[in-house]
């Protein structure tokens, strides 16, 4: 995956709309590309922040930490599916 492809998937990734294969390729790319990771981080902060404002929530959030947890949860889900496939 190149940067242009990854950048096109940022919003769908944050919204949880990518399939497992897309998630895997996207995560692999952003973990190796600091420019794309930085762009993902900016979009994540803006999207989550706007959502909180829309929902009238005024809580302090560790956006960067939450993004890392979100990425980790996607990686865990992919790993579980891979391990289920290898067991079969």
């Amino acid at each position: 995956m190149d940067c242009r492809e990854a950048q096109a998937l940022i919003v769908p990734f944050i919204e949880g709309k990518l399939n497992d294969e897309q998630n895997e390729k996207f995560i692999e790319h952003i973990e190796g590309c600091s420019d794309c990771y930085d762009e993902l981080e900016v979009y994540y902060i803006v999207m989550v922040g706007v959502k909180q404002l829309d929902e009238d929530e005024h809580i302090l959030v560790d956006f960067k930490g939450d993004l890392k947890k979100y990425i980790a949860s996607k990686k865990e889900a992919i790993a579980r599916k891979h391990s289920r496939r290898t067991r079969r």
Side-chain angles (χ1 to χ4, degrees), residues 23-42:
N23 274 326
E24 189 170 12
K25 289 178 181 179
F26 178 79
I27 291 169
E28 183 179 307
H29 179 83
I30 59 147
E31 287 183 331
C33 179
S34 62
D35 289 339
C36 287
Y37 186 89
D38 290 346
E39 189 160 339
L40 169 64
E41 199 170 71
V42 169

Side-chain angles (χ1 to χ4, degrees), residues 14-65:
I14 294 169
E15 293 175 339
K17 294 182 177 178
L18 300 183
N19 64 38
D20 291 336
E21 183 180 343
Q22 290 171 316
N23 274 326
E24 189 170 12
K25 289 178 181 179
F26 178 79
I27 291 169
E28 183 179 307
H29 179 83
I30 59 147
E31 287 183 331
C33 179
S34 62
D35 289 339
C36 287
Y37 186 89
D38 290 346
E39 189 160 339
L40 169 64
E41 199 170 71
V42 169
Y43 271 85
Y44 185 83
I45 290 168
V46 169
M47 290 176 69
V48 172
V50 168
K51 182 179 177 192
Q52 286 182 357
L53 289 173
D54 286 347
E55 295 173 357
D56 204 25
E57 293 180 24
H58 301 288
I59 55 176
L60 296 174
V61 178
D62 175 13
F63 291 109
K64 291 181 180 187

